[in-house]
Amino acid sequence: MCDVGYDQEALGGVEGFLDELLVALVNGRVYSETHPRLRDTLEGLVRRLEQQCTSGSTSSIEVGVVDGYLVHDTRPLMSATLSAQRLIEPVARLGAGGLVFERGATFDEFVGVVSLLNARKSEQGETWTNANTLLEKSGVRHIRLLPPLSLETAAKRTTGFGDSERVETELELPLEIYQGVINLLQSVSIAVCRGKSFKLDTVRGEIERIMKRIDVDPASMLEVARYEQYDAFTFGHSVRVCFLAVIFAKSLTPDIRLQERVGLAGLLHDIGKAKVPFEIVHAPGRLTDEEKLEMQLHTVHGARTLLDVDDADPVAVATAFSHHKTMDDRGYPKTGFWAPRSPMTKIVKICDVYEALTAVRPYKPAMSPVRAYRIMLSMRNHFDLALLRRFIETNGIHPVGTEVRLNTGELAEVVRQTEDLHCPIVILTKDAEGNELDVLDRTRFDLSSDARTERWIESDQESLVDAH
Ligand SMILES: [Fe+2]
Ligand SMILES: [Fe+2]
């Protein structure tokens, strides 16, 4: 049995509703509406709509689609937008301005909407008005596509981007790349679930896009990945591991082909989870011994899956197989002879654990990079120590893309590491009063050499010394 699912109670509000809708769209491609997994999701949607309308004292949830973003109540929903290409694309293609879900929408009505959004282009009615007619004909009365936004409304809605969740022009491209790669992982997982193969070349194409962008601006890629508070399918983990692995590989070798292979191995290292039952992958509590064994099989499933594709890459296969094994042959799968030997596998292994420790999860806040490094350095024989030290140097105490507070009270974004782990190159983003700086006023400082500015990062108390 295989499954594509997520922890349904993890998110609340409109974002939670949209996340569940996305799960329904993905599961709607795998299962019939009578399958318990899809049934649960659709029933969850009915429940969430009712809850949202009751708590917000409204009669509907209205979600706009503006310039590729999901928007609610004039605010862009960054986290939901990142993994919602599957929802945004059909709405935009039909020329609609969004969707409205009115209180009282039933299970069958959600079935109708999921079928329409998942249908082939030719079966969607080509325009939003035709699509609404199709929905009505299939008995959907409480959900419909909204007319395109008038220029005035669009301008009004887009001003929502101008406040605290401002979306910079330069962020648009990383966002598209991020959405594209999440969309691809959804498709690959669906294929793996169904026991079908997929094209590794498509994945390579996506890695190329990521690498090009990382060459120009690694900070913006990591920054957009940070927006995702918690993603419905944990695909965000694989994407972030891929970004980290590509950035790390770039610091180790100029060989673009090797960098690409590391990125590919990072992106697909957990693909075997698509073959492990949903209840186990997303179990809220501790796993039983039997469930643990089942979960551990994701390594074997992943390696088999990646071995079966055309033009299989041995690095991706070995990484999927051995990313939970230690340097002294502990961990799983148990082989009695195998430990990760390829440097490329070792790179992904480091990025995998670092990402898991520093990511936000429904059950834990993000851990600081320094704390994560300390834990990793204390895990004897788990990693290649020379590589781990190199990773820490490359990633820094304040990794690229993170926001730091300076002694002046200003906020800045880390854009590059320097020789001094504590003193990266930063760009100012907010003044001491908390006002967002205009793009032209965003001065760049090398904190390792710019003594004349007398700026330093304030919240830097942790030390790595004890962990060595
Ligand atoms: Fe794994
Ligand atoms: Fe992983």
Side-chain angles (χ1 to χ4, degrees):
M1 180 196 159
C2 63
D3 230 314
V4 180
Y6 83 123
D7 180 352
Q8 302 185 1
E9 303 306 325
L11 282 175
V14 174
E15 292 242 9
F17 173 81
L18 287 170
D19 234 43
E20 190 131 22
L21 180 61
L22 186 79
V23 174
L25 288 173
V26 176
N27 280 344
R29 286 178 180 255
V30 185
Y31 305 115
S32 75
E33 70 211 52
T34 52
H35 190 283
R37 179 62 49 225
L38 184 55
R39 269 203 94 80
D40 282 356
T41 310
L42 294 167
E43 280 165 5
L45 279 167
V46 174
R47 202 171 51 241
R48 279 178 186 269
L49 176 60
E50 180 59 29
Q51 277 166 359
Q52 186 62 23
C53 290
T54 309
S55 65
S57 308
T58 56
S59 56
S60 63
I61 296 179
E62 202 177 303
V63 182
V65 172
V66 183
D67 286 344
Y69 290 85
L70 292 175
V71 178
H72 175 68
D73 208 10
T74 77
R75 308 286 305 166
L77 302 172
M78 275 304 285
S79 181
T81 294
L82 290 172
S83 47
Q85 202 177 49
R86 211 166 276 274
L87 171 63
I88 294 168
E89 217 171 60
V91 172
R93 189 171 54 236
L94 291 163
L99 281 158
V100 61
F101 303 84
E102 288 171 354
R103 192 175 198 163
T106 61
F107 178 92
D108 288 338
E109 289 179 83
F110 277 106
V111 170
V113 168
V114 166
S115 315
L116 179 99
L117 292 172
N118 271 345
R120 264 178 253 157
K121 275 186 209 174
S122 56
E123 291 163 3
Q124 288 177 327
E126 302 206 346
T127 64
W128 66 275
T129 43
N130 290 350
N132 275 343
T133 309
L134 289 172
L135 283 176
E136 267 182 47
K137 275 189 188 159
S138 60
V140 181
R141 306 261 181 272
H142 294 86
I143 308 170
R144 62 183 184 284
L145 289 146
L146 292 166
L149 298 169
S150 67
L151 284 178
E152 198 188 331
T153 322
K156 206 172 113 205
R157 292 200 171 180
T158 322
T159 45
F161 295 135
D163 302 317
S164 60
E165 274 187 275
R166 179 176 173 141
V167 178
E168 311 281 354
T169 321
E170 65 264 33
L171 230 154
E172 282 170 18
L173 193 52
L175 178 76
E176 272 172 35
I177 295 171
Y178 192 90
Q179 284 178 325
V181 70
I182 289 276
N183 203 31
L184 177 75
L185 270 183
Q186 289 168 358
S187 304
V188 168
S189 290
I190 290 171
V192 173
C193 253
R194 290 170 162 173
K196 291 187 177 164
S197 193
F198 60 92
K199 290 209 180 335
L200 213 52
D201 265 354
T202 321
V203 187
R204 287 196 182 102
E206 214 58 46
I207 303 281
E208 251 174 61
R209 289 177 76 198
I210 291 169
M211 286 179 41
K212 274 187 195 146
R213 185 66 203 187
I214 282 177
D215 274 341
V216 182
D217 185 7
S220 68
M221 287 304 279
L222 288 169
E223 198 192 342
V224 79
R226 264 190 331 127
Y227 264 105
E228 200 157 17
Q229 290 292 302
Y230 171 65
D231 64 292
F233 299 94
T234 67
F235 291 145
H237 162 70
S238 297
V239 177
R240 284 186 289 271
V241 169
C242 168
F243 288 1
L244 288 166
V246 166
I247 292 170
F248 187 24
K250 279 183 179 294
S251 75
L252 295 170
T253 171
D255 187 329
I256 290 176
R257 177 80 182 116
L258 281 182
Q259 297 166 5
E260 183 196 288
R261 294 176 74 190
V262 171
L264 183 84
L267 191 64
L268 299 177
H269 75 281
D270 271 337
I271 195 66
K273 285 188 181 171
K275 285 205 175 266
V276 177
F278 165 83
E279 291 74 12
I280 294 178
V281 176
H282 300 276
R286 278 185 172 278
L287 297 178
T288 63
D289 287 349
E290 216 167 290
E291 288 170 334
K292 264 187 209 158
L293 288 175
E294 187 97 43
M295 181 65 181
Q296 292 176 357
L297 280 178
H298 80 272
T299 49
V300 179
H301 292 318
R304 283 214 177 105
T305 301
L306 292 169
L307 199 56
D308 280 350
V309 296
D310 288 341
D311 201 13
D313 185 332
V315 171
V317 177
T319 304
F321 185 78
S322 65
H323 68 278
H324 287 283
K325 287 196 72 75
T326 63
M327 293 303 118
D328 54 358
D329 196 28
R330 287 176 295 119
Y332 60 87
K334 303 232 176 295
T335 55
F337 63 92
W338 179 295
R341 290 195 184 91
S342 146
M344 293 187 266
T345 303
K346 292 174 182 172
I347 289 171
V348 175
K349 186 172 165 59
I350 289 171
C351 298
D352 183 31
V353 175
Y354 173 79
E355 201 292 320
L357 290 174
T358 54
V360 179
R361 292 277 186 277
Y363 48 85
K364 73 164 188 74
M367 183 184 285
S368 77
V370 172
R371 217 171 138 61
Y373 297 151
R374 285 172 65 93
I375 289 174
M376 291 170 77
L377 284 165
S378 67
M379 292 163 76
R380 299 284 170 208
N381 290 326
H382 216 88
F383 307 102
D384 179 314
L385 212 51
L387 263 184
L388 176 57
R389 291 204 171 110
R390 189 72 187 267
F391 175 76
I392 295 170
E393 281 164 26
T394 310
N395 206 41
I397 301 288
H398 306 284
V400 167
T402 52
E403 192 177 60
V404 288
R405 181 173 294 280
L406 305 182
N407 60 315
T408 52
E410 298 156 311
L411 286 183
E413 185 191 314
V414 177
V415 289
R416 186 159 300 170
Q417 300 301 325
T418 66
E419 293 288 299
D420 186 337
L421 278 182
H422 294 269
C423 302
I425 297 171
V426 300
I427 285 184
L428 293 188
T429 52
K430 284 185 185 169
D431 65 19
E433 280 73 49
N435 302 312
E436 190 111 16
L437 294 173
D438 204 73
V439 174
L440 294 175
D441 296 332
R442 295 188 169 198
T443 321
R444 187 183 175 103
F445 292 109
D446 181 343
L447 299 181
S448 67
S449 67
D450 235 325
R452 142 186 86 77
T453 67
E454 294 187 341
R455 283 180 168 85
W456 60 86
I457 294 173
E458 205 176 46
S459 55
D460 184 20
Q461 302 304 322
E462 290 184 84
S463 163
L464 276 171
V465 177
D466 298 345
H468 282 282

